[in-house]
Amino acid sequence: ANTNVETFQTMAAGAKLYGVEQDKLADILKDTSDKVGDFLATGGGAMADYFENVAPLVGQTAEEFKNLSGDQALQKYVDGLEAANLSQSEMTFYMEAIASDATNLLPLLADNGKELERMGDAVDKFGGALNEVEVEQLKEVKRSMTESSIVMKNLINKIMAKFAPVITAISKKFTEMSDSSFEFGD
């Protein structure tokens, strides 16, 4: 996604409110970085329309996007679209040009990211985003729990296999007993 872990978590919390899951958000941010890089390298690609038609209207240059992270580039892009006072259909055109479903993020990024900032404050209020060390620790815990789960499942299966004849015999006896109990009721 070309952004830091804390920023990504804040964006993911806000994006979810607008129907964009974190994997899709990561794709949007990656696509943003990729398309900016494509334009800087070739002068073409999906960002060409923006840098030829919108950026000059609002005083932006491609060079300003050069060292921005994915989230920063996307925010600058939205800020430029807003400053150009485009219609909703034009905004949608440019947002979808940068990444599929990017239009869904407009409410989060509008007004210089006011809603994103509000989400960041809410995340901070309730303990803040996890840092990179904490994220790595959680990955390790999940990996360990997955391994433990596999070992336990295999152990249970082996025990069940060893006791299969006994369990099968008991099950048959219960079935026989159940069948004969119907006659007992009569």
Side-chain angles (χ1 to χ4, degrees):
N2 188 26
T3 190
N4 68 49
V5 140
E6 292 90 350
T7 300
F8 182 78
Q9 289 174 69
T10 300
M11 284 193 81
K16 189 172 182 86
L17 293 174
Y18 299 100
V20 178
E21 296 296 328
Q22 70 180 13
D23 57 336
K24 184 62 180 175
L25 175 63
D27 288 343
I28 291 169
L29 296 178
K30 181 185 72 64
D31 287 348
T32 301
S33 292
D34 180 49
K35 289 176 180 168
V36 167
D38 184 28
F39 183 81
L40 290 170
T42 68
M47 294 290 286
D49 282 338
Y50 178 80
F51 286 116
E52 291 168 9
N53 301 321
V54 177
L57 296 174
V58 297
Q60 289 180 339
T61 65
E63 190 66 26
E64 293 174 37
F65 284 74
K66 185 175 185 176
N67 295 314
L68 299 180
S69 62
D71 62 294
Q72 292 168 333
L74 185 59
Q75 184 63 64
K76 189 169 193 67
Y77 184 77
V78 170
D79 292 347
L81 294 173
E82 287 183 327
N85 201 26
L86 300 179
S87 70
Q88 185 60 45
S89 61
E90 290 170 314
M91 291 280 280
T92 299
F93 168 79
Y94 283 105
M95 289 302 287
E96 294 302 308
I98 201 156
S100 177
D101 295 333
T103 305
N104 295 349
L105 297 177
L106 280 174
L108 188 65
L109 300 171
D111 197 16
N112 199 28
K114 193 174 194 174
E115 180 65 8
L116 180 59
E117 185 178 329
R118 189 189 70 74
M119 283 303 302
D121 292 343
V123 167
D124 288 345
K125 181 179 178 181
F126 295 107
L130 300 175
N131 62 38
E132 289 186 40
V133 171
E134 292 167 325
V135 168
E136 286 303 316
Q137 289 170 334
L138 281 178
K139 283 182 190 176
E140 182 61 28
V141 167
K142 287 179 182 177
R143 188 188 62 73
S144 294
M145 290 180 74
T146 300
E147 287 176 5
S148 296
S149 174
I150 291 168
V151 169
M152 288 301 292
K153 185 176 181 178
N154 287 340
L155 179 62
I156 289 169
N157 287 340
K158 286 187 181 270
I159 291 170
M160 295 291 283
K162 292 284 185 193
F163 286 102
V166 174
I167 293 169
T168 302
I170 291 171
S171 179
K172 284 181 182 178
K173 289 294 181 187
F174 275 124
T175 302
E176 289 170 11
M177 196 169 65
S178 176
D179 288 345
S180 57
S181 71
F182 287 118
E183 293 172 15
F184 178 75
D186 291 339

